[in-house]
Amino acid sequence: MKNEYKVAIIGGGIVGCSIAYHLAKFGESDVVVFEKSYLSSGSTGRCAGGIRQQWSSPNNVILAMRSVSLFEKLSQETGVDIEYEQGGYLVLSYDDQEAAQFEKNVEMQRGLGLDVQILTPKQVKERYPYIDVDGVRLATFCQKDGHANPHLANFAYAKAARRLGVDILTHTEVIAVEVLKDGFELFTNKGIVRSQILINAAGPYSREIGKMVGVDLPTESYRHQIMVTEAVKNFFDPMAISFSGNFYMRQTKHGQFIMGQGDIDEKPGINNDVTYKFEKEMAKKMSKIFPFLSKLRIVRHWSGHYNMSPDAQPIIGESPKVPNFYYAVGFSGHGFMLAPAVGEALAQMILYGKTLHVDISELNLDRFEKGVVREKNVV
Ligand code: FAD
């Protein structure tokens, strides 16, 4: 660890490592990433790895589309096979009002250049005879959506960033930050470091990091549980999701089924416990919709956190209050899939003063002063 860096990033999840990699790729490798535990120990390593471009808000569609084009090259670019599969995302609606909204979403998504289809329940059954479509009103499908292994994608960015000269320090916790006239002083469990620029990529702890520099980030973390079955031969290509049905599920490259749901009774806060209630509810619901699952044993169950923002869209940009303090936080359950585009955009913003591929100006903190239009497509 040096005493001084141009850029310090707090958080060694996929967002922090993607930002670090893109900064180095664009020529700035005087960068340090502080990770208080091991890489991918936060939400990233606990997530389902879904990569979806079908959103209700144009900003998310645009970021996800850019991310997909970066995910497509990531294994080759970094030399780490991230187990990326584009088997499509099947979005099932069980609610008439939601189905009507899906038709509007598809119009908007197609307008942005996304190739997305609307499927009737009969068409879903024809494509995927092993899904019970009872109650399904309508579905949408995008073949270019898919999934990857979140640990490997996190490691891929870290490995490539290190190769370009970035210092990534695990088991190094930032405990306090002092804002100086010309930068920041970071107090860590391994010593004191100065940086000109500070980036908050601390996932579930984003608000705490904001507080350290006197910036109130309106994010709150909620526990989400997730479980995985034993492995069987691969046959299930898409990732299936439903907002009205409250579930998501996919088969991994190694044959396991991984699945989760949201719980409206969760209170904000960090809580890594798991509950039997989750397993019972998931097993019952999922075996009805995907009858083949009833034959499989659950092998593991864990929890992680969604770092929620008020409109369920990320908060990205530079603080208007503390110059050179940047954040990429509040991903609201979809930060894995947005990390490539966000890392690239934030690196460009810092180095060139503007982004080159996607416009992230509408995702700054100021937006909440104008009111909140919530992203609807979140489980
Ligand atoms: P994290 O991965 O949490 O990384 C932040 C890191 O900061 C942590 O490793 C933490 O240890 C570190 N840190 C915090 N404070 C400090 C400090 N003071 N000093 C040093 N280090 C610190 N997203 C998708 O796109 N697709 C999905 O299918 C999906 N499924 C999900 C399923 C579940 C069950 C959960 C919980 C989340 C899911 N998500 C999904 C959301 C996704 O996991 C997150 O949005 C994403 O991983 C956020 O990445 P991050 O790098 O911002 O945060």
Side-chain angles (χ1 to χ4, degrees):
M1 180 162 94
K2 297 191 294 180
N3 297 328
E4 215 168 321
Y5 292 85
K6 174 99 181 273
V7 185
I9 300 172
I10 305 178
I14 191 161
V15 172
C17 290
S18 168
I19 298 167
Y21 168 67
H22 284 98
L23 281 167
K25 183 180 166 181
F26 301 145
E28 183 52 81
S29 57
D30 189 13
V31 176
V32 61
V33 178
F34 293 110
E35 168 50 54
K36 68 177 174 177
S37 183
Y38 55 90
L39 295 178
S40 91
S41 58
S43 302
T44 303
R46 295 156 187 273
C47 88
I51 299 166
R52 159 167 62 100
Q53 301 159 97
Q54 301 175 67
W55 294 95
S56 71
S57 62
N59 279 323
N60 276 336
V61 179
I62 292 165
L63 280 175
M65 284 176 73
R66 179 67 191 159
S67 278
V68 164
S69 67
L70 296 172
F71 270 120
E72 283 170 347
K73 297 182 281 194
L74 192 56
S75 297
Q76 205 191 7
E77 193 169 324
T78 59
V80 177
D81 177 5
I82 64 161
E83 299 178 355
Y84 184 46
E85 309 267 352
Q86 286 177 298
Y89 239 90
L90 179 69
V91 189
L92 297 162
S93 176
Y94 293 87
D95 176 273
D96 288 329
Q97 221 182 329
E98 185 191 51
Q101 179 63 43
F102 275 15
E103 291 182 349
K104 288 187 197 150
N105 293 350
V106 166
E107 208 180 304
M108 175 271 289
Q109 292 157 1
R110 285 181 179 154
L112 292 169
L114 190 67
D115 186 5
V116 51
Q117 294 166 267
I118 295 181
L119 302 178
T120 61
K122 191 165 165 271
Q123 288 169 317
V124 174
K125 193 73 189 166
E126 278 162 11
R127 277 190 193 204
Y128 307 109
Y130 37 79
I131 299 182
D132 180 343
V133 294
D134 185 29
V136 172
R137 299 285 189 271
L138 174 146
T140 64
F141 181 77
C142 173
Q143 183 66 62
K144 288 257 172 142
D145 287 348
H147 47 77
N149 181 319
H151 296 280
L152 295 174
N154 199 150
F155 301 158
Y157 275 128
K159 192 174 172 189
R162 276 183 169 140
R163 208 161 37 216
L164 293 171
V166 170
D167 278 352
I168 299 183
L169 308 175
T170 56
H171 303 284
T172 310
E173 180 170 5
V174 176
I175 297 155
V177 178
E178 195 172 326
V179 181
L180 309 172
K181 256 202 242 132
D182 55 351
F184 303 88
E185 193 157 54
L186 282 77
F187 298 85
T188 81
N189 59 339
K190 305 253 173 91
I192 300 171
V193 171
R194 279 190 179 214
S195 73
Q196 291 169 35
I197 292 169
L198 178 62
I199 304 175
N200 178 355
Y205 305 90
S206 61
R207 195 162 201 160
E208 286 68 26
I209 301 298
K211 276 186 194 149
M212 289 184 193
V213 295
V215 172
D216 184 27
L217 293 166
T219 55
E220 280 188 309
S221 293
Y222 288 83
R223 172 177 68 173
H224 274 251
Q225 300 184 57
I226 181 165
M227 67 188 198
V228 69
T229 68
E230 63 188 313
V232 288
K233 202 169 163 221
N234 278 83
F235 68 95
F236 194 85
D237 294 335
M239 177 132 176
I241 192 166
S242 177
F243 316 114
S244 45
N246 186 23
F247 67 82
Y248 57 81
M249 198 221 29
R250 74 167 170 105
Q251 190 173 24
T252 70
K253 196 176 176 184
H254 308 281
Q256 306 101 326
F257 285 90
I258 186 165
M259 65 201 81
Q261 66 172 5
D263 181 350
I264 48 166
D265 295 330
E266 280 295 334
K267 304 276 176 288
I270 302 293
N271 176 2
N272 278 314
D273 294 344
V274 292
T275 63
Y276 176 57
K277 175 177 168 268
F278 169 85
E279 272 183 33
K280 220 167 84 176
E281 283 177 10
M282 277 313 279
K284 192 172 167 201
K285 174 165 53 182
M286 301 309 272
S287 314
K288 157 118 191 25
I289 303 165
F290 307 99
F292 54 87
L293 285 177
S294 62
K295 308 244 179 336
L296 300 185
R297 280 168 288 208
I298 299 164
V299 293
R300 212 158 73 83
H301 167 194
W302 65 94
S303 66
H305 294 87
Y306 280 18
N307 188 232
M308 298 301 298
S309 76
D311 61 3
Q313 296 180 65
I315 309 175
I316 311 167
E318 183 180 7
S319 164
K321 196 172 149 195
V322 179
N324 291 320
F325 176 56
Y326 292 83
Y327 29 76
V329 300
F331 282 93
S332 308
H334 42 283
F336 172 71
M337 65 184 84
L338 300 186
V342 168
E344 179 191 61
L346 200 63
Q348 290 168 347
M349 197 177 181
I350 291 168
L351 298 178
Y352 314 140
K354 61 176 186 190
T355 57
L356 303 182
H357 300 97
V358 287
D359 180 6
I360 53 168
S361 56
E362 285 181 20
L363 294 170
N364 208 339
L365 190 54
D366 306 353
R367 71 178 186 269
F368 302 115
E369 289 161 17
K370 297 178 218 136
V372 168
V373 183
R374 208 180 142 79
E375 166 62 58
K376 296 179 185 69
N377 290 4
V378 181
V379 165

